[in-house]
Amino acid sequence: IFDRLANGKLFKTLSILDEFTRECLGILVAHSILAQDVIAFLNTILKNRPVPAFLRSDNGSEFTAQSVQVWLEQNKVGPVFIPPGQPWKNGYIESFHDKFRDECLQREWFQSLLEAQVVIETWRVKYNTHRPRSSLAYQTPAAFAAQYQPTQTLISFGHKK
């Protein structure tokens, strides 16, 4: 998701969501996000989680870059690309992004990138730990995830303008 700081400077976010638990595993907030940033962020997240069987994303250049494809192959993660113009085929992340925009980005006026990073991370933790989901038998994503020790999952990530 793209947004602006109070001074008008653009920033981007990259959200990573576990499709099974509905947990938001992380939100990268930066002025620009390149393929090497995607790889570094995934490596950070996957230090504490099993490597997913698949990674669903749109066809953004930071996701289709050769270095990301090599990373996926080296880690035995299958890419699942959403066809251009068909965001409904990545419904979990689209739903998450709607909530993220409505509940966080639309309500905040960020003075700096650091402030955006802190506020967004606080919102992400609250999303995972204080929002029961009907699709999870009215448990929070964190409570639902605590019941399982997955060996492989499917995660989605992406951005939208």
Side-chain angles (χ1 to χ4, degrees):
I1 294 180
F2 292 85
D3 206 348
R4 293 193 180 276
L5 299 175
N7 67 7
K9 188 162 179 145
L10 189 70
F11 71 90
K12 295 171 79 172
T13 66
L14 170 66
S15 308
I16 299 183
L17 191 73
D18 182 312
E19 290 188 4
F20 177 66
T21 66
R22 310 300 200 277
E23 281 182 291
C24 177
L25 305 179
I27 303 175
L28 178 61
V29 181
H31 288 298
S32 68
I33 299 175
L34 305 173
Q36 63 261 28
D37 302 319
V38 171
I39 292 168
F41 195 51
L42 287 170
N43 281 330
T44 299
I45 288 172
L46 295 177
K47 286 180 183 176
N48 300 315
R49 299 191 66 88
V51 174
F54 294 95
L55 196 136
R56 185 184 323 271
S57 72
D58 62 26
N59 288 293
S61 60
E62 60 272 274
F63 309 131
T64 59
Q66 181 66 27
S67 58
V68 172
Q69 298 309 302
V70 167
W71 183 91
L72 291 170
E73 187 175 315
Q74 289 172 342
N75 287 279
K76 297 178 177 39
V77 177
V80 177
F81 291 109
I82 303 305
Q86 298 181 15
W88 59 88
K89 290 192 176 179
N90 198 359
Y92 294 121
I93 201 75
E94 292 297 319
S95 176
F96 173 80
H97 281 159
D98 288 344
K99 290 169 184 61
F100 177 40
R101 169 120 3 240
D102 289 346
E103 297 172 10
C104 184
L105 298 178
Q106 295 277 354
R107 296 176 185 222
E108 299 292 339
W109 188 252
F110 304 115
Q111 297 297 316
S112 68
L113 188 63
L114 177 60
E115 180 184 6
Q117 292 166 337
V118 170
V119 170
I120 289 168
E121 177 60 13
T122 301
W123 180 86
R124 183 191 73 81
V125 169
K126 185 176 179 182
Y127 175 88
N128 285 336
T129 59
H130 292 90
R131 283 185 59 102
R133 311 282 304 156
S134 61
S135 61
L136 303 175
Y138 295 96
Q139 297 177 79
T140 65
F144 182 78
Q147 299 171 50
Y148 298 93
Q149 296 297 323
T151 56
Q152 287 192 316
T153 61
L154 173 64
I155 60 175
S156 294
F157 68 116
H159 59 75
K160 68 180 183 181
K161 295 178 181 171

